[in-house]
């Protein structure tokens, strides 16, 4: 099953590369191997460091704030294809697919199946009453989709299996998960929210995926907070 998913992702990434990719770009299927850079255009799963849950987009809509916001959870299933996200630069950027992503870069995460954007806003999350995290439907530009990369270790660029935090540009809060789980609608899936303070529960790692590799380094985009 996992090999079939990887094969499908390889086909997807070829379509993503297109004319915008760097000439040197190539793809790397990554499961357990280390030393692989996360680049723009890579399709990956984000694994929560303390729970091992994968950042997961559901088809369940939030009740408040409009019909375009869908619940995001932490899912412990390794082979679930709804945990794949495409790493994108900010709208209008000159960065190309295959470019490296330095510390401090502002990125967007687009859900592979639905094309929704990882999003946060000043609504309370359902379980912990922190800030809500959702996948937002729509292709219009929205600053609520912007996340700043913070590398936890001393790496210069984002690497697979290295600890990171994602800080929401608008609210200043960190992408966060914990052992608090849904019971009825999304049983045993963990809440994903955003919180204002750094903790071990807002550390993530890029894990399974298809990583688009190239030789050029990108410059962090400047986005006003």
């Amino acid at each position: 099953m996992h090999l079939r998913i990887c094969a499908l992702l390889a086909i997807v990434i070829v379509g993503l590369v297109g004319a915008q990719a760097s000439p040197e770009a190539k793809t790397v299927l990554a499961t357990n191997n280390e030393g692989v850079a996360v680049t723009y255009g890579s399709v990956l799963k984000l694994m929560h460091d303390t729970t091992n849950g994968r950042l997961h987009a559901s088809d369940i809509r939030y009740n408040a704030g409009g019909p375009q916001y869908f619940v995001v959870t932490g899912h412990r299933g390794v082979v679930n294809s709804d945990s794949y996200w495409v790493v994108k630069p900010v709208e209008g950027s000159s960065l190309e697919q295959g470019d490296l992503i330095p510390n401090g870069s502002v990125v967007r995460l687009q859900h592979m199946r639905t094309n929704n954007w990882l999003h946060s806003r000043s609504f309370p999350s359902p379980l912990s009453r922190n800030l809500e995290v959702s996948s937002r439907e729509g292709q219009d530009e929205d600053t609520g989709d912007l996340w700043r990369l913070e590398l936890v270790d001393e790496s210069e660029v984002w690497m697979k299996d290295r600890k990171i935090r994602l800080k929401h540009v608008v609210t200043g809060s960190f992408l966060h998960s914990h052992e608090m789980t849904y019971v009825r609608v999304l049983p045993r899936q963990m809440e994903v929210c955003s919180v204002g303070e750094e903790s071990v529960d807002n550390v993530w790692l890029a894990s399974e995926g298809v990583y688009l590799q190239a030789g050029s380094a990108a410059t962090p985009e400047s986005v006003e907070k």
Side-chain angles (χ1 to χ4, degrees):
M1 173 67 76
H2 186 65
L3 290 176
R4 287 203 298 271
I5 290 174
C6 286
L8 288 172
L9 285 172
I11 295 171
V12 170
I13 202 70
V14 169
L16 287 171
V17 173
Q20 297 180 356
S22 301
E24 308 86 358
K26 60 181 180 179
T27 57
V28 175
L29 292 177
T31 52
N32 296 320
N33 53 305
E34 297 184 3
V36 175
V38 178
T39 59
Y40 293 111
S42 294
V43 182
L44 54 79
K45 293 184 179 182
L46 272 185
M47 183 180 74
H48 188 241
D49 187 40
T50 57
T51 65
N52 290 332
R54 271 64 172 178
L55 188 71
H56 181 85
S58 74
D59 292 321
I60 306 299
R61 298 178 189 268
Y62 281 113
N63 292 327
Q68 69 270 39
Y69 301 103
F70 294 80
V71 178
V72 169
T73 65
H75 194 295
R76 285 197 172 96
V78 175
V79 298
N80 194 303
S81 60
D82 274 341
S83 300
Y84 282 108
W85 301 81
V86 185
V87 184
K88 297 287 188 74
V90 297
E91 184 75 19
S93 170
S94 61
L95 296 170
E96 296 181 329
Q97 296 187 65
D99 282 345
L100 300 174
I101 308 176
N103 187 36
S105 297
V106 173
V107 301
R108 299 178 296 163
L109 293 179
Q110 187 174 33
H111 190 240
M112 189 183 74
R113 178 177 65 83
T114 63
N115 292 326
N116 291 352
W117 301 97
L118 184 68
H119 185 88
S120 189
R121 54 187 181 148
S122 298
F123 275 67
S125 60
L127 302 182
S128 64
R129 313 307 287 176
N130 290 308
L131 295 184
E132 176 190 289
V133 169
S134 63
S135 68
R136 184 187 68 86
E137 188 176 52
Q139 297 307 305
D140 55 307
E141 185 176 355
D142 191 316
T143 56
D145 304 336
L146 302 180
W147 301 84
R148 190 177 301 278
L149 174 70
E150 294 190 0
L151 303 178
V152 174
D153 58 20
E154 297 181 355
S155 300
E156 295 182 357
V157 297
W158 191 0
M159 301 291 292
K160 178 183 180 291
D161 294 325
R162 303 300 289 269
K163 295 180 179 181
I164 68 161
R165 288 187 175 92
L166 289 176
K167 187 174 185 179
H168 194 244
V169 168
V170 174
T171 65
S173 56
F174 294 95
L175 186 67
H176 184 93
S177 190
H178 41 217
E179 293 286 355
M180 193 173 291
T181 58
Y182 293 93
V183 177
R184 290 182 297 176
V185 179
L186 297 164
R188 296 184 297 279
Q189 294 188 41
M190 294 164 286
E191 182 187 56
V192 170
C193 54
S194 61
V195 300
E197 296 183 357
E198 290 186 8
S199 79
V200 294
D201 283 332
N202 42 57
V203 174
W204 301 79
L205 304 90
S207 57
E208 304 88 0
V210 180
Y211 291 78
L212 186 64
Q213 300 295 292
S216 58
T219 301
E221 293 291 323
S222 176
V223 177
E224 294 294 327
K225 291 187 177 181

